Amino acid sequence: MTNQRLIYGFHAVNARLWQNPKSITELYVREGKNDARTREILEKAAAENVRLHFAKANRLDTIAKGARHQGVVGFIDASKNHVHLEDVLENLREPAFLLILDGITDPHNLGACLRTADAMGVHAVIAPKDKSAGLNATVSKVACGAAETVPYITVTNLARTLRELKEYGIWIVGTDIGGQSDLYHTDLPESLAWVMGSEGEGMRRLTREHCDMLVSVPMFGTVESMNVSVSAGMVLSETRRQRVLKAEQ
């Protein structure tokens, strides 16, 4: 199966079972394992008629390619998880809240960004198909289930996508050390998409040119930069904080 993708670990597998069980092609569980989390997965897998196998620990190690799988490994049909940006935007019930990752190639960073995006209620994470990590087993593991709940949309032309977002009335807000204002002194737009670049190179030139605003993340210590997932956590949290306050007024 060309679209088959590996997932492993309790969070990733359990989230997939509850969010999109029909996408699971087969599931492997370590034989003899009988703790509460394993029983929950087995019961849900049986209820959803998921193809189930029991295997020895060394067999699971081989399937998971040495990753820490916690005794649960599965394969999914990734084609059944595809989401279009238009579907997300046209079904929103509140102002758009998006995260765009430009040039994030580390799967650990992508997984952490997805986890934070889920926690802050981001509607979708968008990334270019080229020079991006892409969803894989490591991303699913780090995301702790968020890779199964937050739409992750890859696009062939990011600049064109940014123009399309503007047509929906969505502000494109980039993070940059030379931003016009800092995060804590910016009244954020009601409907926005945050753009995060890689820690080393930042956003690409064309991406920067499509931003309506550039906002800096304040630094009060001695370090000059932060991991992209940490920066994403800060800007997404501040966005959610401002939305909560405005809703209470």
Side-chain angles (χ1 to χ4, degrees):
M1 184 180 296
T2 57
N3 287 312
Q4 186 164 269
R5 178 163 67 85
L6 175 73
I7 60 172
Y8 54 78
F10 283 111
H11 288 295
V13 172
N14 202 38
R16 177 64 61 158
L17 277 169
W18 285 93
Q19 296 293 331
N20 194 0
K22 295 187 183 301
S23 67
I24 302 176
T25 57
E26 52 189 341
L27 191 61
Y28 292 81
V29 177
R30 195 180 78 191
E31 61 182 23
K33 196 170 175 62
N34 193 38
D35 57 274
R37 291 194 297 181
T38 301
R39 290 196 301 271
E40 181 181 7
I41 283 178
L42 292 176
E43 290 172 3
K44 183 61 176 175
E48 298 293 345
N49 295 315
V50 173
R51 187 179 178 188
L52 188 63
H53 310 276
F54 293 95
K56 295 184 182 298
N58 58 356
R59 170 63 174 154
L60 294 180
D61 291 341
T62 300
I63 296 173
K65 301 177 182 179
R68 186 170 177 270
H69 50 71
Q70 299 175 300
V72 185
V73 178
F75 287 98
I76 64 171
D77 180 356
S79 66
K80 294 185 178 181
N81 199 41
H82 186 67
V83 179
H84 293 283
L85 179 57
E86 292 77 11
D87 295 333
V88 173
L89 297 179
E90 292 174 5
N91 287 283
L92 292 179
R93 297 182 179 180
E94 63 176 343
F97 186 13
L98 307 172
L99 175 62
I100 300 172
L101 301 176
D102 186 26
I104 308 305
T105 58
D106 185 341
H108 292 88
N109 279 337
L110 174 55
C113 285
L114 286 169
R115 187 174 183 179
T116 302
D118 177 86
M120 292 297 104
V122 169
H123 300 128
V125 175
I126 303 168
K129 286 184 178 179
D130 297 329
K131 297 183 179 180
S132 295
L135 292 182
N136 58 30
T138 301
V139 173
S140 293
K141 174 69 173 176
V142 175
C144 293
E148 321 307 323
T149 58
V150 179
Y152 179 70
I153 301 168
T154 56
V155 297
T156 54
N157 188 319
L158 184 57
R160 183 172 60 215
T161 298
L162 295 177
R163 292 193 295 269
E164 291 173 354
L165 291 175
K166 291 184 181 186
E167 292 176 0
Y168 277 91
I170 299 170
W171 282 63
I172 310 300
V173 184
T175 52
D176 187 87
I177 193 171
Q180 297 103 323
S181 62
D182 71 71
L183 179 64
Y184 301 137
H185 293 88
T186 302
D187 185 13
L188 296 172
E190 184 179 40
S191 184
L192 85 166
W194 279 104
V195 184
M196 314 291 298
S198 64
E199 183 177 352
E201 300 179 2
M203 290 180 289
R204 289 176 294 177
R205 177 189 58 80
L206 191 57
T207 303
R208 183 193 305 271
E209 291 176 356
H210 280 82
C211 290
D212 299 303
M213 300 172 60
L214 291 176
V215 175
S216 64
V217 178
M219 307 286 286
F220 300 98
T222 58
V223 298
E224 296 181 355
S225 64
M226 290 181 293
N227 180 284
V228 63
S229 62
V230 175
S231 296
M234 294 179 67
V235 301
L236 297 181
S237 177
E238 174 62 15
T239 305
R240 180 55 64 186
R241 185 191 71 84
Q242 290 193 20
R243 289 192 173 201
V244 169
L245 289 179
K246 289 176 181 178
E248 293 176 346
Q249 291 176 354

Coordinates of all heavy atoms in Angstrom, one line a residue, residues 108-141:
H108 N 10.5 16.2 15.2 CA 10.2 16.5 16.6 C 9.6 17.9 16.8 O 8.7 18.1 17.6 CB 11.5 16.4 17.5 CG 12.0 15.0 17.5 ND1 12.8 14.4 16.6 CD2 11.8 14.0 18.5 CE1 13.1 13.2 16.9 NE2 12.5 12.9 18.1
N109 N 10.1 18.9 16.1 CA 9.5 20.2 16.1 C 8.1 20.2 15.6 O 7.2 20.9 16.1 CB 10.4 21.2 15.3 CG 11.6 21.7 16.1 OD1 11.6 21.6 17.3 ND2 12.6 22.1 15.3
L110 N 7.9 19.5 14.5 CA 6.5 19.5 13.9 C 5.6 18.8 14.9 O 4.4 19.3 15.1 CB 6.5 18.7 12.6 CG 5.2 18.5 11.9 CD1 4.4 19.8 11.7 CD2 5.3 17.7 10.6
G111 N 6.0 17.7 15.5 CA 5.1 17.0 16.5 C 4.8 17.9 17.6 O 3.6 18.0 18.1
A112 N 5.8 18.7 18.1 CA 5.5 19.6 19.3 C 4.6 20.7 18.9 O 3.8 21.1 19.7 CB 6.9 20.1 19.8
C113 N 4.8 21.2 17.6 CA 3.9 22.3 17.2 C 2.5 21.8 17.1 O 1.5 22.5 17.4 CB 4.4 22.8 15.8 SG 5.9 23.9 15.9
L114 N 2.3 20.6 16.6 CA 0.9 20.1 16.4 C 0.3 19.9 17.8 O -0.9 20.2 18.0 CB 1.0 18.7 15.7 CG 1.2 18.8 14.2 CD1 1.5 17.4 13.6 CD2 0.0 19.4 13.5
R115 N 1.1 19.4 18.8 CA 0.5 19.2 20.1 C 0.1 20.6 20.7 O -1.0 20.7 21.3 CB 1.6 18.6 21.0 CG 1.1 18.2 22.4 CD 2.2 17.4 23.1 NE 1.7 16.9 24.4 CZ 2.5 16.2 25.3 NH1 3.7 15.9 24.9 NH2 1.9 15.8 26.4
T116 N 0.9 21.6 20.5 CA 0.6 22.9 21.1 C -0.6 23.5 20.3 O -1.5 24.1 20.9 CB 1.8 23.9 20.9 OG1 2.9 23.4 21.6 CG2 1.4 25.3 21.5
A117 N -0.7 23.3 19.0 CA -1.8 23.8 18.2 C -3.1 23.2 18.7 O -4.1 23.9 18.8 CB -1.5 23.5 16.7
D118 N -3.1 21.9 19.0 CA -4.3 21.2 19.5 C -4.7 21.8 20.8 O -5.9 22.1 21.0 CB -4.0 19.7 19.7 CG -5.2 19.0 20.3 OD1 -6.1 18.6 19.5 OD2 -5.2 18.8 21.5
A119 N -3.7 22.1 21.7 CA -4.0 22.6 23.0 C -4.6 24.0 23.0 O -5.5 24.4 23.8 CB -2.8 22.6 23.9
M120 N -4.2 24.8 22.0 CA -4.7 26.2 21.9 C -5.9 26.3 20.9 O -6.3 27.4 20.7 CB -3.5 27.1 21.4 CG -2.4 27.3 22.5 SD -3.0 28.0 24.0 CE -3.1 26.6 25.1
G121 N -6.4 25.2 20.4 CA -7.5 25.3 19.6 C -7.3 25.8 18.2 O -8.2 26.4 17.5
V122 N -6.1 25.6 17.6 CA -5.8 26.0 16.2 C -6.7 25.2 15.3 O -6.8 24.0 15.5 CB -4.3 25.9 16.0 CG1 -4.0 26.0 14.5 CG2 -3.5 26.9 16.8
H123 N -7.2 25.8 14.2 CA -8.1 25.1 13.3 C -7.3 24.2 12.3 O -7.9 23.2 11.9 CB -8.9 26.1 12.6 CG -9.8 26.9 13.5 ND1 -9.8 28.3 13.4 CD2 -10.6 26.6 14.5 CE1 -10.7 28.8 14.4 NE2 -11.2 27.7 15.0
A124 N -6.1 24.6 12.0 CA -5.3 23.8 11.0 C -3.9 24.3 11.1 O -3.6 25.4 11.3 CB -5.9 23.9 9.6
V125 N -3.0 23.4 10.7 CA -1.6 23.7 10.5 C -1.3 23.5 9.1 O -1.6 22.4 8.5 CB -0.7 22.8 11.4 CG1 0.8 23.0 11.1 CG2 -1.0 23.0 12.9
I126 N -0.6 24.5 8.5 CA -0.3 24.4 7.0 C 1.2 24.5 6.8 O 1.9 25.2 7.5 CB -1.0 25.7 6.4 CG1 -2.5 25.7 6.6 CG2 -0.7 25.7 4.9 CD1 -3.1 27.0 6.3
A127 N 1.6 23.7 5.8 CA 3.1 23.7 5.5 C 3.3 23.4 4.0 O 2.4 22.7 3.4 CB 3.8 22.6 6.3
P128 N 4.3 23.9 3.4 CA 4.6 23.5 2.0 C 5.0 22.1 1.9 O 5.6 21.5 2.9 CB 5.8 24.5 1.7 CG 6.4 24.8 3.0 CD 5.3 24.8 4.0
K129 N 4.8 21.5 0.8 CA 5.1 20.1 0.6 C 6.6 19.9 0.6 O 7.2 18.9 1.1 CB 4.5 19.5 -0.7 CG 3.0 19.3 -0.6 CD 2.5 18.6 -1.9 CE 1.0 18.3 -1.8 NZ 0.5 17.7 -3.0
D130 N 7.3 20.8 0.0 CA 8.8 20.7 -0.1 C 9.4 21.4 1.2 O 8.9 22.3 1.8 CB 9.3 21.5 -1.3 CG 8.8 20.8 -2.6 OD1 8.6 19.6 -2.6 OD2 8.6 21.5 -3.6
K131 N 10.6 20.9 1.6 CA 11.3 21.4 2.7 C 10.5 21.4 4.0 O 10.5 22.4 4.8 CB 11.9 22.8 2.4 CG 12.9 22.8 1.2 CD 13.4 24.2 1.0 CE 14.4 24.2 -0.1 NZ 15.0 25.5 -0.4
S132 N 9.7 20.4 4.2 CA 8.9 20.2 5.4 C 9.0 18.8 5.9 O 9.3 17.9 5.1 CB 7.5 20.6 5.2 OG 7.3 21.9 4.9
A133 N 8.9 18.6 7.2 CA 9.0 17.3 7.8 C 8.0 16.3 7.3 O 8.4 15.2 6.9 CB 8.9 17.4 9.3
G134 N 6.8 16.7 7.2 CA 5.7 15.7 6.8 C 5.4 14.8 7.9 O 6.2 14.6 8.9
L135 N 4.2 14.3 7.9 CA 3.7 13.4 9.0 C 4.4 12.1 8.8 O 4.4 11.5 7.8 CB 2.2 13.3 8.9 CG 1.3 14.5 9.2 CD1 -0.2 14.1 9.1 CD2 1.7 15.0 10.6
N136 N 4.9 11.6 9.9 CA 5.5 10.3 10.0 C 5.3 9.7 11.4 O 4.6 10.4 12.3 CB 6.9 10.2 9.6 CG 7.8 11.2 10.4 OD1 7.5 11.4 11.6 ND2 8.9 11.7 9.8
A137 N 5.8 8.6 11.7 CA 5.6 7.9 13.0 C 6.2 8.8 14.1 O 5.6 8.9 15.2 CB 6.2 6.5 13.0
T138 N 7.4 9.4 13.9 CA 8.0 10.3 14.9 C 7.1 11.4 15.3 O 6.9 11.8 16.4 CB 9.4 10.7 14.5 OG1 10.2 9.6 14.2 CG2 10.0 11.6 15.5
V139 N 6.5 12.1 14.2 CA 5.6 13.2 14.5 C 4.4 12.8 15.3 O 4.1 13.5 16.2 CB 5.2 13.8 13.1 CG1 4.1 14.9 13.3 CG2 6.4 14.4 12.4
S140 N 3.8 11.7 14.9 CA 2.7 11.2 15.6 C 3.0 10.9 17.1 O 2.2 11.2 18.0 CB 2.1 9.9 15.0 OG 1.6 10.2 13.7
K141 N 4.2 10.3 17.3 CA 4.6 10.0 18.7 C 4.7 11.2 19.5 O 4.2 11.4 20.7 CB 5.9 9.2 18.7 CG 6.5 8.9 20.0 CD 5.7 7.9 20.8 CE 6.4 7.5 22.1 NZ 5.6 6.6 23.0

